[in-house]
Each structure stands twice: as C-alpha cells, then as structure tokens.
DNA sequence: CAGTGAGCGAGCTTCCGCTTGACTT
C-alpha cells in the first residue's frame, strides 16, 4: 500500500513521466475516455432529466480492469489527464468507475512534460472541477441527440446507413456550397498590360526588367487602343521610391496548421500526416500531435535560441510568444515541436524524416528574427499618354527566418518573384522591348482540399484536433464527397503585342480548372445537404457550434445547469424531427430527361436506395420500370438523355477470348469485364462503353499474373489451405477464413503442420476474447 | 463480392472526442 498511481491519457506520455518520477510512482494510461453513452435509447434517459447512461466499451474493459487492480494497491491516486473539458471528464469517469476515495485521490495538471512541471503539479493538487465535467456531459449529450435523431431520419428519407452530425454535416455543407459558388460563378475577362524594358546604366551595362499598367483594361478594344496609342512613344522614369518592409515567421505548428503545410509542401493527406506524426510522437521525437496551442515551453524556447545562435548567429534569434486566436481553443498541450531542438534531422522512414524536418524548420523559424526587405517602386511615364507604368522590385536586406522556412499558400499565385530593379533614377530614359496586353479572367472560387477544409472548420470553431482527420474520413466513407483529380479543359485567350512599332494579335490557350486531390460533392452529398439545410437550418448554421460553445462556457463557469441547456434545445429540435418525418417528401433530386425513343416511356434520373440511378417508365404503369445505376463519374445534375439510355446497353458483349464471351458490365463495385464466369475490374481511366477487346484481355492477363504471385505456398494435404500475399503482407487462408502470421515466422518456410498450429492458436485466442 | 429498386416486410446502419492497437485480404 505504498505506491503512488498516476493516470494519464496516453501510454507514450506515461512512459516519459515515469522516467521523471522514478521509484514509488507507477504511471498508467487510460487510453483516452474509458466510458461512453450506451447506444440503447440514445444512452440518455430523456424522461428523467436527460440522465446519461454510461457503459464501458468492450475494448476498454481490460484497461479498466488493469487500472482497478493498480488503484487498489496504491496509497494515493493522481489523476493527470489533460486540463480541458474532455480531460476533466476523463478524470471524473475514472473516479466513478474505479470508485476512488476522495481522501486519497488528487487531480493534477501540467502543460509541459518536464521534471519541474510535474513536480510542481504534484505539489499543487486540486479537486475535480464538476462544472467543467458537466460542460463535457452537455457537449456529449447534445452531439448524441443531434446525431442519433438526424441519422435515422436520413435512413427513412434518403438511403440507409447515412449519417448526420453537428460537425460532419457542416463539413459537407461547406463543400456543397463551394461547388454551387463555382457553378454560379460568372467569369469576366479583362486585359492586363505588361511592358518589357531595357535600361543602360552609366557603365554602359544593359538591364532588362518589366513594368505593369496599374489599371486593368476592360476589353479587347480598349487594349488595342492603348497599345496603338503607345506606338512610337518615349518612356522615362518619373520617380523612384524605396520603402523598407518586414516579414514575420508563422507560429509553430498546431494539428491544423501541420496538416495544411504537410498537404501543401509534402502532398500528405490529413490522415497520413496524423499517422506519421503519431509514430514520431511514440518514438519520442516530437511533442503531442493533437493540439490547438501555439505555445512553446520555456525549455523549448531556450533550446531554440541555443540552436539558432549556434547555427546562424545571435542576429537571427528572436524569442517570441505566440497567442492562440482560434475559436474555442482549449490549449491543454504545447505546440507540435521536436522533443530535442538540436536534432535537425532523424533516422527513420522517408515520410517520418520529411515531416520531422518540416516541424523542426517551422519551430526554429518561429523563434527567429524578421526578414527585412526593401521594396522599390519606379513610375514610368509614356510620352503619348497621361497614364504611367509601374515597376516594382524587392530586395532581401536581411534573411532572418527565411533562411530556414517559408509558409506556403493555398491560393494559386500568378505573381512572379520580384527581383532587384536596375539602378534607375528620375528622368532616365528607357528602351521599350515590347508591350503585351493579355486577356485574364476573374478567379473561380477554389475547391477545398482535405487540409483547407480542416482550416475552415477550425476557423469556425467546429471540431477538435483529434477529430479533423476522422471527420474527413467519415464524409468520404458516407459517399457525401469524393477526393479527385480533374484534368481541366482548354480555354482560349487573346494576347496583343506591341513590338517593333507594330501591334499584332494572337490567340493562345491555357488549361482551366485542373484540380489535384480536391473535394467534390456527390449527388448524395448535395441531396442530403439541401434536405438538412432546409429542415434543420438552425443546426446546420455555421455559427451553431460557436453559439453552443458559449453555453458550455457558462456551464463550466457554474452559471448554468447543464440539463437546463439541453432542455432549451431538445424539445424544439425533437419536434422538428417529428414534423419533418411526417411532412417532408423524400428528396430524390429527380430530373426528367425526356422520352425513351424505343418504348416512348419517360426517362428520369434520381437518387435511390442504392445511389444515383436512371429509370425508364414510372411506378404504377402496367409494365414495371427499368433501372440502371449511374457510373461513378456521372451526376444526376449533368447526365444527358443519351448517356442515361446507353447505361441500359450493359452488360455489353465485346468479343471472344479463349472461346468464351467477354462482356462489360457495371456492378456494385464499379465497371468490370466478365469472362468465363470471372470478374475483372476495369481501370480508372477505362470507359465501359469504348473499351476494346485488346484492353480487356490485357486486364484479364494482368489479373492472372497477380493471382499467380498471390500464392506463396500450397499444400497437397489440404487444397483449401494456402499461404497468400495480401494487401497487408502474407497471411494464411483456410477455406476463406484468414489468419495472421506471427512476426517471428518466415511465411515461405512455414510447413503444413506449422500453419495448423498457427490457426489453432488464433482460434483459441478468439475464444478467450468472447 | 459483381443488380440490386416501387413499398406485407426482419434487422441493421448513426453522433463527437479522448486514445491506441487489432484488424482488414
């Protein structure tokens, strides 16, 4: 009965702290929350003042049992979960579940994992803040009520297994509305005038540079008139002004900004960033990766200063404290930074090295001095016109943090890097090389990437660092949105050129709307969003979360009873659900395309139980309607009658191979080629209507080759038993049941008996579990 | 795994936030 038990949320943290505390302290992890609402009847007794019913999920039973055993043996229990709403609730659930005695239970918090911080925390314990716990319960109950009432409504009205929630539904709304903005965008064109000049300095050296007309010209006639009027003109410098400017580094990484920069600079998906960061955290290379704080510990600040002064000199060092501007930030952790700042790079997988270096650079740069620039502006007069052209140059006087790191941007920039202007002064004359007026277009709104959607959600205060990546997965998995590349289409534009005293005109073309890994709404995403916005505009409101957060704060401050808050929301919301269930029509997005020339029956498209489909004929007619699903890249919004009708041509025989028919069809898993009763998926770029027999045979042969490599070993004793190569490495397959191979064994050396042993063991382990 | 859908209809799906393995073929 002498040990102290410290409970934290993460095992990696437990390990680190354990080293600081030494003997007499046992440190264990709760692995996050240990209890959640039951799934029966919402897990909330609505009749009984919204009393929550908590259960311990199966995968937490062992954790709880271990903690219970340790708690029994401990003289004092220290609850050291994070100092935020969720962390406080975890501490409270631990008290409840482990039946901890308040006399020997202490609540402690620390913001950085150093020996001093932890000792200080232990010297200043406090009680559990029940108000903060209640704010968490209100948050949890509200999310459950919203999610579990809206989702079943969608099952009834749209399609089974859909979902809606306070966070995911707003994420979908952002994507759908952005797409609408793009659809409705009217691109306007204008002309931009850029001139190339040559200047000869007093040593006779020639310098080339460019200058631009500040005003844009409204159409081709204006551009032509402008260039014509410049024919034979002289150009001289009206004045030159110099202005100093400064650039400051960005704050160190939070989860959201790390996801954005890893996406822009390394091309990582949000989930990929988190999984690589998790490995870095677990191996002790970086601090915790789920954080909304830009704060660095004192020791990190000192460490950064040492590194910068040693590596670049004292002039490059500037200690900065950043403050969070994010809505609803809870700041239970530090910013994401290297654990040891003197370590510029690490050993490990390529991805880990790249992400680590990004984190190192960002952290170090945040503690460096400003970059100092000098911007030069020269105004250039045109002898035949009152207008003037402007040339700008930028010189870096002092690199500062730019020596290490520069943040990227989501916007496509057409600004060219500006260099130094030649040493011109007032009244100098310039030689015009050529002047170009080129047609430009107003910029379409930009589609979201995973990371820029996270940025937007964070700005709105919706979601938390631990949920950004899972939220993206959810809206992709539900089929509300797809992440895609688009090749774009050609657009023509006009360029007028004044050179050698002649104005010429030329038509050029460029690619418009090329997209890489952008989020597009699907038909179902659009349909569900319109339905929810129409009937539940209050919950789908971009400010809904921000407003209820204010109420959670009141609860946390003890100024409001948490059940009061739910009482104010739920009855009205529930009534909305009941009303909508009874009174709303099924939203189908139906569009009538025309008549089927063969039968004369109506052809329409809509979203059905299995997704978007075409229908020939109507229900209730003598002959039943015929149905066909849309292809993945087709939409009920844009599909034509002709495209819709051709879907009924499938499955389509395209020829013979090895004396059997080859037919192209579309199934549950997309387009396929069928041959001798076997299915072969078509590639992403294969069009089911125009695919050739040659290509189909190629696919068949590829698949056969793959299957050949799939088999590592076969056994004569039992043809149902094989060692196969799968997506996640080698595995044992017995009559369609699969088993993992222990890491200690080499799959190609396993014999028949070995396999049976592994299977036996796996089956026993499974039995124990249940 | 590979067309399903028009309504007699079983029973299933679902939320957000904390956290990692276990697990997928």
């Amino acid at each position: 009965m002498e040990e102290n038990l410290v409970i934290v949320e993460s095992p990696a943290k437990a390990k680190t702290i354990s080293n600081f505390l030494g003997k007499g302290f046992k440190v264990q992890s709760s692995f996050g929350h240990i209890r959640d609402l039951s799934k029966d009847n919402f897990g909330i007794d609505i009749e009984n003042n919204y009393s929550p019913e908590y259960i311990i999920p199966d995968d937490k039973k062992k954790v709880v049992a271990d903690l219970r055993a340790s708690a029994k043996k401990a003289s004092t229990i220290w609850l050291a979960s994070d100092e935020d709403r969720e962390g406080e609730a975890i501490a409270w659930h631990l008290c409840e579940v482990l039946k901890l005695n308040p006399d020997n239970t202490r609540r402690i918090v620390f913001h950085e994992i150093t020996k001093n911080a932890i000792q200080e925390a232990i010297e200043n314990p406090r009680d559990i803040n029940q108000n903060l716990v209640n704010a968490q319960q209100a948050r949890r109950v509200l999310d459950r009520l919203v999610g579990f009432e809206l989702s079943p409504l969608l099952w009834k009205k749209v399609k089974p297994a859909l979902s809606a929630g306070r966070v995911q539904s707003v994420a979908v709304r952002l994507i759908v509305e952005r797409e609408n903005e793009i659809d409705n965008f009217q691109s306007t064109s204008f002309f931009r005038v850029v001139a190339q000049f040559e200047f000869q300095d007093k040593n006779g050296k020639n310098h080339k540079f460019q200058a631009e007309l500040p005003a844009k010209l409204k159409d081709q006639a204006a551009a032509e008139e402008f260039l014509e009027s410049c024919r034979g003109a002289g150009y001289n410098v009206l004045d030159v002004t110099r202005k100093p400017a400064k650039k400051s580094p960005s704050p160190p990484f939070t989860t959201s900004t790390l996801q954005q920069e890893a996406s822009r600079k390394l091309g990582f998906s949000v989930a990929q960033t988190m999984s690589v960061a998790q490995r870095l955290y677990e191996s002790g290379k970086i601090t915790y990766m789920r954080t909304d704080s830009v704060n660095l510990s004192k020791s990190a600040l000192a460490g950064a200063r040492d590194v910068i002064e040693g590596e670049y000199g004292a002039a490059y060092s500037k200690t900065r404290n950043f403050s969070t501007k994010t809505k609803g930030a809870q700041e239970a952790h530090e910013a994401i930074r290297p654990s040891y700042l003197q370590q510029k790079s690490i050993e490990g997988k390529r991805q880990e090295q790249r992400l680590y270096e990004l984190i190192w650079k960002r952290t170090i740069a945040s503690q460096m001095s400003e970059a100092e620039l000098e911007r030069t502006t020269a105004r250039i007069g045109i002898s035949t016109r009152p207008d003037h052209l402007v040339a700008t140059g930028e010189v870096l006087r002092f690199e500062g943090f730019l020596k290490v790191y520069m943040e990227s941007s989501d916007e496509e920039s057409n600004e060219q890097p500006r260099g130094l202007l030649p040493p011109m002064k007032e009244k100098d004359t310039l030689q015009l090389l050529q002047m170009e007026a080129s047609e430009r277009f107003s910029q379409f709104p930009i589609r979201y990437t995973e990371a820029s959607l996270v940025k937007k959600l964070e700005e709105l205060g919706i979601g938390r660092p631990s949920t950004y990546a899972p939220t993206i997965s959810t809206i992709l998995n539900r089929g509300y949105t797809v992440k895609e590349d688009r090749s774009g289409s050609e657009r023509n534009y006009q360029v007028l050129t004044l050179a050698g005293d002649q104005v010429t005109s030329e038509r050029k073309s460029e690619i418009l709307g090329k997209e890489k890994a952008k989020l597009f709404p699907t038909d179902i995403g659009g349909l569900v969003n319109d339905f929810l916005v129409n009937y539940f505009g209050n919950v789908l409101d971009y400010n809904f979360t921000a407003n209820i957060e204010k109420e959670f704060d009141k609860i946390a401050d003890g100024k409001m009873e948490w059940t009061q808050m739910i009482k104010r929301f739920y009855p009205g919301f529930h009534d909305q659900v009941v009303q909508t269930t009874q009174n709303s029509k099924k939203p189908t997005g139906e569009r009538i395309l025309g008549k089927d020339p063969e039968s004369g029956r109506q052809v329409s498209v809509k979203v059905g139980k299995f997704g978007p489909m075409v229908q020939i004929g109507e229900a209730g007619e003598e002959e039943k309607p015929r149905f066909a699903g849309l292809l993945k890249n087709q939409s009920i919004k844009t599909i034509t009658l002709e495209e819709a009708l051709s879907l009924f041509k499938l499955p389509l025989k395209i020829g013979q191979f090895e004396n059997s028919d080859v037919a192209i069809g579309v199934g549950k898993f997309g387009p396929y080629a069928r041959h001798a009763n076997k299915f072969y998926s078509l590639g992403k770029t294969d069009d089911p209507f125009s695919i050739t027999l040659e290509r189909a045979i190629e696919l068949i042969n590829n698949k056969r080759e793959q299957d050949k490599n799939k088999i590592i070993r076969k056994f004569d004793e039992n043809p149902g038993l094989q060692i196969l190569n799968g997506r996640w490495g080698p595995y044992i397959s017995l009559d369609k049941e699969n088993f993992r191979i222990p890491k200690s064994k080499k799959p190609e050396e396993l014999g028949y008996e070995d396999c049976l042993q592994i299977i036996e063991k796996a089956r026993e382990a499974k039995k124990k579990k249940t």
Side-chain angles (χ1 to χ4, degrees), chain A residues 563-610:
Chain A
T563 52
Q564 282 302 316
M565 184 210 159
I566 302 295
K567 260 179 217 154
R568 268 203 263 166
F569 170 76
Y570 181 72
F573 171 72
H574 180 68
D575 196 48
Q576 263 175 292
V577 174
V578 173
Q579 292 296 324
T580 309
T581 308
Q582 291 169 354
N583 302 333
S584 73
K585 273 178 66 181
K586 275 189 172 198
T588 61
E590 184 176 30
R591 206 159 64 86
I592 314 284
L593 299 184
K595 290 248 185 298
D596 172 27
E598 263 175 47
S599 63
R601 306 173 83 197
Q602 174 183 287
V603 180
S604 60
V605 281
K606 65 181 180 190
V607 173
K609 207 155 91 182
F610 303 105

Side-chain angles (χ1 to χ4, degrees), chain A residues 242-456:
Chain A
R242 292 192 169 77
K243 258 192 201 160
K246 280 185 178 176
K247 261 188 200 147
S248 300
S250 305
F253 281 133
T254 60
T255 302
S256 153
T257 53
L258 178 68
Q259 289 172 346
Q260 289 160 43
E261 275 291 84
S263 161
R264 293 186 286 231
K265 285 200 156 80
L266 310 178
F268 286 8
S269 73
V270 161
Q272 197 181 1
T273 299
M274 292 315 282
S275 115
V276 175
Q278 175 89 28
R279 287 204 297 274
L280 291 172
Y281 168 65
E282 281 171 9
S283 55
K285 295 191 177 78
I286 61 168
T287 55
Y288 196 57
M289 65 283 156
R290 291 188 276 265
T291 175
D292 51 21
S293 171
V294 287
N295 191 45
L296 293 174
S297 71
K298 282 186 198 117
S299 60
L301 292 177
R305 192 171 57 231
D306 286 350
V307 169
I308 296 162
E309 288 183 359
E311 194 117 343
Y312 310 107
Y316 283 88
S317 171
K318 179 171 178 181
T319 300
R320 296 163 196 273
N321 284 303
F322 294 92
S323 59
T324 305
K325 295 188 191 77
T326 311
K327 257 188 224 170
Q330 307 200 2
E331 302 204 70
H333 301 272
E334 268 191 80
I336 304 170
R337 64 162 172 92
S339 305
Y340 307 100
L341 287 154
Q342 60 274 25
Q343 212 177 345
K344 197 169 179 172
S345 57
I346 54 157
E347 306 265 297
K349 287 186 185 155
R350 184 82 192 106
Q351 287 184 339
E352 292 167 29
Q353 292 180 345
R354 293 176 79 200
L355 194 70
Y356 180 87
E357 276 164 37
L358 191 67
I359 294 169
W360 185 87
K361 284 179 180 170
R362 174 84 165 214
T363 311
I364 291 292
S366 78
Q367 297 305 317
M368 290 176 77
S369 36
E370 287 97 356
E372 289 170 27
L373 313 158
E374 188 179 85
R375 292 203 177 109
T376 311
T377 308
R379 295 197 308 146
I380 296 159
I382 309 168
S383 64
T384 56
R385 294 191 61 96
D387 319 69
H388 59 264
L389 301 162
V390 173
T392 54
E394 199 171 84
V395 207
L396 205 52
R397 290 289 175 213
F398 178 67
E399 272 183 296
F401 76 96
L402 289 178
K403 198 168 184 74
V404 174
Y405 177 90
M406 178 66 197
E407 188 175 43
S408 305
S409 156
D410 291 318
E411 312 282 321
E412 294 149 49
S413 163
N414 42 13
E415 284 226 347
Q416 287 157 1
R418 291 176 292 190
L420 191 61
L421 283 186
M424 304 178 283
K425 54 184 193 311
E426 208 177 311
K427 289 184 184 150
D428 280 344
T429 57
L430 302 169
Q431 183 67 42
L432 179 75
L433 299 174
Q434 68 157 30
M435 197 185 292
E436 227 177 54
S438 55
E439 189 178 15
R440 302 313 314 143
F441 300 86
S442 51
Q443 186 81 51
F444 274 83
I446 303 171
R447 286 193 183 85
Y448 288 107
T449 61
E450 289 186 0
S452 70
L453 182 66
V454 167
K455 182 183 179 184
K456 184 68 188 176

Side-chain angles (χ1 to χ4, degrees), chain A residues 718-744:
Chain A
N718 181 352
L721 181 72
Q722 292 179 319
I723 302 179
L724 302 174
N725 226 337
R727 234 201 308 174
W728 292 281
Y731 65 100
I732 297 171
S733 167
L734 174 63
D735 301 329
K736 295 209 168 164
E737 202 182 347
N738 302 319
F739 303 89
R740 283 152 55 101
I741 297 171
K743 275 180 190 159
S744 53

Side-chain angles (χ1 to χ4, degrees), chain A residues 173-190:
Chain A
R173 180 177 188 180
L174 286 165
I175 294 166
V176 171
E177 291 193 343
R178 177 58 53 88
E179 199 67 21
N180 290 343
E181 278 172 43
I182 292 170
D183 286 345
N184 297 331
F185 187 76
Q186 300 281 346
S187 183
T188 54
S189 84
F190 54 88

